[in-house]
Amino acid sequence: MFECCSAGGEVTLSGLVGPPTAALCPPGQCVFNEEWSPAQLVERQQITHEVILCTFALRDATKPMGLSTCACILSKFNEEGSPDPIVRPYTPVSTNALIGKFQLAVKVYPGGKMSEHMKNLPIGEDIDFKHIAPNVKIQHPFGKKTITMLVGGTGVTPMIQALHAVLGTESDTTQVTMLFGNKTQKDILCKELLETWAENSGGRFKIVHVLSDAKDDATWKGETGFITKEMLAKHAAPASDDTLVVVCGPPPMYNAFCGPRDKKELTGMLADMGYSAEQVFKF
């Protein structure tokens, strides 16, 4: 059962339920631009023990967000007593099929200034957002036969955005494999959604869950530990010009797989396995 606060009306999980939906917009059409502008928090739902789903209203209730795939936005609030604003990037989990609103899945970290702010923000209050050119990431169509997604925790949010486009586009035949690392089963964000998409994909989408803290979970029969070269070799497509690997997760994950997120150079496990920098994208 979801815990929910709302400003009234029906609760909508939007991009976290239902089939994949390719509601695509090209870059340059997002309602947010390089100037900060407010959006009102209208709903907040607890979707795992650590993750909340925040729904914000757009100023024009008749239009979608207009965000391209894949892209993120920036959020900002001014912390009392601090001269500098708190700014964080988020990838919406809703699509442009949602009119007049957008949704963010936010992991609430102890001491996390933005996530704690969103958790405690009164319904009806505003947060500022903007969208700038560097927020536009690799775009659909991705032009590869296979995509391997290496994901940790809430790093799944840009992958959900990409999967909406890939699986929701009838003419797209891309094969996608996701290796999704979490601590425990209760930490897996959008588990039912992703597994339903996999079941209904006709073999185009496969998801492999890997739990690092499952030693006391007798119900867990899947992969354990951390994502390894052996798991990649077993489940993912080998390095080739027809393969794209996308990585999103906490900093240690980047360090292990591909090198720091802000460095184009490819290092780590993927480099050791023969992938090139052109075949790997760091979200």
mmCIF file of all heavy atoms in Angstrom, residues 66-89:
data_model
loop_
_atom_site.group_PDB
_atom_site.id
_atom_site.type_symbol
_atom_site.label_atom_id
_atom_site.label_comp_id
_atom_site.label_asym_id
_atom_site.label_seq_id
_atom_site.Cartn_x
_atom_site.Cartn_y
_atom_site.Cartn_z
ATOM 1 N N GLY A 66 7.474 18.102 -22.240
ATOM 2 C CA GLY A 66 8.245 18.336 -23.462
ATOM 3 C C GLY A 66 9.716 18.010 -23.345
ATOM 4 O O GLY A 66 10.542 18.557 -24.089
ATOM 5 N N LEU A 67 10.065 17.085 -22.446
ATOM 6 C CA LEU A 67 11.466 16.722 -22.242
ATOM 7 C C LEU A 67 11.872 15.645 -23.245
ATOM 8 O O LEU A 67 11.123 14.699 -23.496
ATOM 9 C CB LEU A 67 11.663 16.205 -20.821
ATOM 10 C CG LEU A 67 13.106 16.026 -20.346
ATOM 11 C CD1 LEU A 67 13.796 17.376 -20.200
ATOM 12 C CD2 LEU A 67 13.130 15.275 -19.007
ATOM 13 N N SER A 68 13.063 15.776 -23.800
ATOM 14 C CA SER A 68 13.541 14.790 -24.772
ATOM 15 C C SER A 68 14.046 13.543 -24.060
ATOM 16 O O SER A 68 14.269 13.534 -22.847
ATOM 17 C CB SER A 68 14.654 15.386 -25.635
ATOM 18 O OG SER A 68 15.789 15.707 -24.839
ATOM 19 N N THR A 69 14.217 12.453 -24.834
ATOM 20 C CA THR A 69 14.706 11.174 -24.302
ATOM 21 C C THR A 69 16.067 10.853 -24.906
ATOM 22 O O THR A 69 16.175 10.697 -26.114
ATOM 23 C CB THR A 69 13.723 10.034 -24.653
ATOM 24 O OG1 THR A 69 12.451 10.348 -24.102
ATOM 25 C CG2 THR A 69 14.206 8.709 -24.110
ATOM 26 N N CYS A 70 17.134 10.882 -24.098
ATOM 27 C CA CYS A 70 17.131 10.942 -22.635
ATOM 28 C C CYS A 70 17.623 12.335 -22.174
ATOM 29 O O CYS A 70 18.517 12.909 -22.782
ATOM 30 C CB CYS A 70 18.045 9.880 -22.063
ATOM 31 S SG CYS A 70 17.534 8.190 -22.413
ATOM 32 N N ALA A 71 17.040 12.825 -21.089
ATOM 33 C CA ALA A 71 17.425 14.132 -20.562
ATOM 34 C C ALA A 71 17.009 14.223 -19.105
ATOM 35 O O ALA A 71 16.165 13.463 -18.627
ATOM 36 C CB ALA A 71 16.780 15.249 -21.368
ATOM 37 N N CYS A 72 17.603 15.180 -18.397
ATOM 38 C CA CYS A 72 17.244 15.412 -16.999
ATOM 39 C C CYS A 72 16.938 16.894 -16.800
ATOM 40 O O CYS A 72 17.048 17.703 -17.728
ATOM 41 C CB CYS A 72 18.362 14.964 -16.063
ATOM 42 S SG CYS A 72 19.891 15.934 -16.204
ATOM 43 N N ILE A 73 16.530 17.231 -15.595
ATOM 44 C CA ILE A 73 16.297 18.627 -15.219
ATOM 45 C C ILE A 73 17.049 18.892 -13.917
ATOM 46 O O ILE A 73 17.482 17.963 -13.234
ATOM 47 C CB ILE A 73 14.797 18.939 -15.049
ATOM 48 C CG1 ILE A 73 14.158 17.995 -14.026
ATOM 49 C CG2 ILE A 73 14.080 18.856 -16.394
ATOM 50 C CD1 ILE A 73 12.701 18.310 -13.733
ATOM 51 N N LEU A 74 17.193 20.168 -13.579
ATOM 52 C CA LEU A 74 17.824 20.567 -12.327
ATOM 53 C C LEU A 74 16.775 21.115 -11.372
ATOM 54 O O LEU A 74 15.849 21.823 -11.792
ATOM 55 C CB LEU A 74 18.892 21.633 -12.581
ATOM 56 C CG LEU A 74 20.049 21.241 -13.504
ATOM 57 C CD1 LEU A 74 20.962 22.438 -13.730
ATOM 58 C CD2 LEU A 74 20.837 20.075 -12.934
ATOM 59 N N SER A 75 16.919 20.790 -10.097
ATOM 60 C CA SER A 75 16.035 21.336 -9.061
ATOM 61 C C SER A 75 16.862 22.209 -8.120
ATOM 62 O O SER A 75 18.063 21.990 -7.949
ATOM 63 C CB SER A 75 15.354 20.204 -8.284
ATOM 64 O OG SER A 75 16.329 19.394 -7.640
ATOM 65 N N LYS A 76 16.182 23.175 -7.483
ATOM 66 C CA LYS A 76 16.903 24.105 -6.607
ATOM 67 C C LYS A 76 16.013 24.568 -5.464
ATOM 68 O O LYS A 76 14.810 24.780 -5.643
ATOM 69 C CB LYS A 76 17.352 25.336 -7.404
ATOM 70 C CG LYS A 76 18.145 26.358 -6.588
ATOM 71 C CD LYS A 76 18.287 27.694 -7.318
ATOM 72 C CE LYS A 76 17.011 28.506 -7.216
ATOM 73 N NZ LYS A 76 17.200 29.923 -7.657
ATOM 74 N N PHE A 77 16.614 24.701 -4.282
ATOM 75 C CA PHE A 77 15.965 25.453 -3.215
ATOM 76 C C PHE A 77 17.042 26.167 -2.424
ATOM 77 O O PHE A 77 18.225 25.807 -2.465
ATOM 78 C CB PHE A 77 15.111 24.541 -2.315
ATOM 79 C CG PHE A 77 15.883 23.783 -1.272
ATOM 80 C CD1 PHE A 77 15.972 24.249 0.035
ATOM 81 C CD2 PHE A 77 16.517 22.576 -1.579
ATOM 82 C CE1 PHE A 77 16.673 23.544 1.002
ATOM 83 C CE2 PHE A 77 17.220 21.865 -0.615
ATOM 84 C CZ PHE A 77 17.302 22.353 0.678
ATOM 85 N N ASN A 78 16.648 27.206 -1.722
ATOM 86 C CA ASN A 78 17.572 27.995 -0.928
ATOM 87 C C ASN A 78 17.494 27.557 0.530
ATOM 88 O O ASN A 78 16.451 27.676 1.171
ATOM 89 C CB ASN A 78 17.249 29.488 -1.056
ATOM 90 C CG ASN A 78 17.483 29.992 -2.463
ATOM 91 O OD1 ASN A 78 18.555 29.830 -3.025
ATOM 92 N ND2 ASN A 78 16.458 30.601 -3.053
ATOM 93 N N GLU A 79 18.607 27.012 1.016
ATOM 94 C CA GLU A 79 18.669 26.531 2.392
ATOM 95 C C GLU A 79 18.849 27.701 3.347
ATOM 96 O O GLU A 79 19.696 28.571 3.140
ATOM 97 C CB GLU A 79 19.830 25.550 2.536
ATOM 98 C CG GLU A 79 19.938 24.905 3.898
ATOM 99 C CD GLU A 79 21.126 23.965 3.977
ATOM 100 O OE1 GLU A 79 22.144 24.218 3.303
ATOM 101 O OE2 GLU A 79 21.039 22.984 4.737
ATOM 102 N N GLU A 80 18.046 27.697 4.385
ATOM 103 C CA GLU A 80 18.124 28.782 5.356
ATOM 104 C C GLU A 80 19.510 28.840 5.987
ATOM 105 O O GLU A 80 20.052 27.829 6.423
ATOM 106 C CB GLU A 80 17.069 28.576 6.459
ATOM 107 C CG GLU A 80 16.989 29.717 7.446
ATOM 108 C CD GLU A 80 15.869 29.534 8.456
ATOM 109 O OE1 GLU A 80 15.079 28.575 8.301
ATOM 110 O OE2 GLU A 80 15.803 30.350 9.395
ATOM 111 N N GLY A 81 20.097 30.022 5.979
ATOM 112 C CA GLY A 81 21.398 30.219 6.586
ATOM 113 C C GLY A 81 22.568 29.926 5.678
ATOM 114 O O GLY A 81 23.723 30.100 6.074
ATOM 115 N N SER A 82 22.286 29.453 4.454
ATOM 116 C CA SER A 82 23.370 29.139 3.526
ATOM 117 C C SER A 82 23.393 30.161 2.384
ATOM 118 O O SER A 82 22.342 30.486 1.823
ATOM 119 C CB SER A 82 23.189 27.734 2.948
ATOM 120 O OG SER A 82 24.162 27.487 1.944
ATOM 121 N N PRO A 83 24.567 30.670 2.015
ATOM 122 C CA PRO A 83 24.632 31.650 0.925
ATOM 123 C C PRO A 83 24.429 31.025 -0.448
ATOM 124 O O PRO A 83 24.111 31.729 -1.412
ATOM 125 C CB PRO A 83 26.040 32.224 1.063
ATOM 126 C CG PRO A 83 26.837 31.105 1.677
ATOM 127 C CD PRO A 83 25.889 30.406 2.612
ATOM 128 N N ASP A 84 24.626 29.703 -0.562
ATOM 129 C CA ASP A 84 24.546 29.037 -1.854
ATOM 130 C C ASP A 84 23.308 28.138 -1.929
ATOM 131 O O ASP A 84 22.999 27.420 -0.972
ATOM 132 C CB ASP A 84 25.801 28.186 -2.093
ATOM 133 C CG ASP A 84 27.072 29.020 -2.101
ATOM 134 O OD1 ASP A 84 27.064 30.083 -2.731
ATOM 135 O OD2 ASP A 84 28.054 28.591 -1.457
ATOM 136 N N PRO A 85 22.606 28.156 -3.053
ATOM 137 C CA PRO A 85 21.438 27.283 -3.193
ATOM 138 C C PRO A 85 21.848 25.823 -3.303
ATOM 139 O O PRO A 85 22.967 25.494 -3.696
ATOM 140 C CB PRO A 85 20.789 27.782 -4.493
ATOM 141 C CG PRO A 85 21.927 28.363 -5.281
ATOM 142 C CD PRO A 85 22.848 28.968 -4.260
ATOM 143 N N ILE A 86 20.928 24.933 -2.979
ATOM 144 C CA ILE A 86 21.112 23.499 -3.144
ATOM 145 C C ILE A 86 20.546 23.121 -4.508
ATOM 146 O O ILE A 86 19.370 23.376 -4.791
ATOM 147 C CB ILE A 86 20.391 22.712 -2.037
ATOM 148 C CG1 ILE A 86 20.839 23.197 -0.650
ATOM 149 C CG2 ILE A 86 20.630 21.216 -2.207
ATOM 150 C CD1 ILE A 86 22.315 23.077 -0.389
ATOM 151 N N VAL A 87 21.377 22.523 -5.371
ATOM 152 C CA VAL A 87 20.967 22.177 -6.737
ATOM 153 C C VAL A 87 21.269 20.700 -6.974
ATOM 154 O O VAL A 87 22.374 20.234 -6.669
ATOM 155 C CB VAL A 87 21.702 23.037 -7.781
ATOM 156 C CG1 VAL A 87 21.299 22.634 -9.204
ATOM 157 C CG2 VAL A 87 21.410 24.516 -7.551
ATOM 158 N N ARG A 88 20.290 19.973 -7.526
ATOM 159 C CA ARG A 88 20.471 18.554 -7.823
ATOM 160 C C ARG A 88 19.805 18.209 -9.161
ATOM 161 O O ARG A 88 18.760 18.767 -9.497
ATOM 162 C CB ARG A 88 19.859 17.671 -6.729
ATOM 163 C CG ARG A 88 20.476 17.826 -5.356
ATOM 164 C CD ARG A 88 21.863 17.228 -5.273
ATOM 165 N NE ARG A 88 22.376 17.265 -3.901
ATOM 166 C CZ ARG A 88 23.045 18.274 -3.368
ATOM 167 N NH1 ARG A 88 23.291 19.357 -4.105
ATOM 168 N NH2 ARG A 88 23.466 18.223 -2.119
ATOM 169 N N PRO A 89 20.384 17.264 -9.920
ATOM 170 C CA PRO A 89 19.745 16.800 -11.155
ATOM 171 C C PRO A 89 18.802 15.635 -10.875
ATOM 172 O O PRO A 89 19.065 14.795 -9.998
ATOM 173 C CB PRO A 89 20.930 16.346 -12.001
ATOM 174 C CG PRO A 89 21.920 15.840 -10.989
ATOM 175 C CD PRO A 89 21.742 16.694 -9.750
#
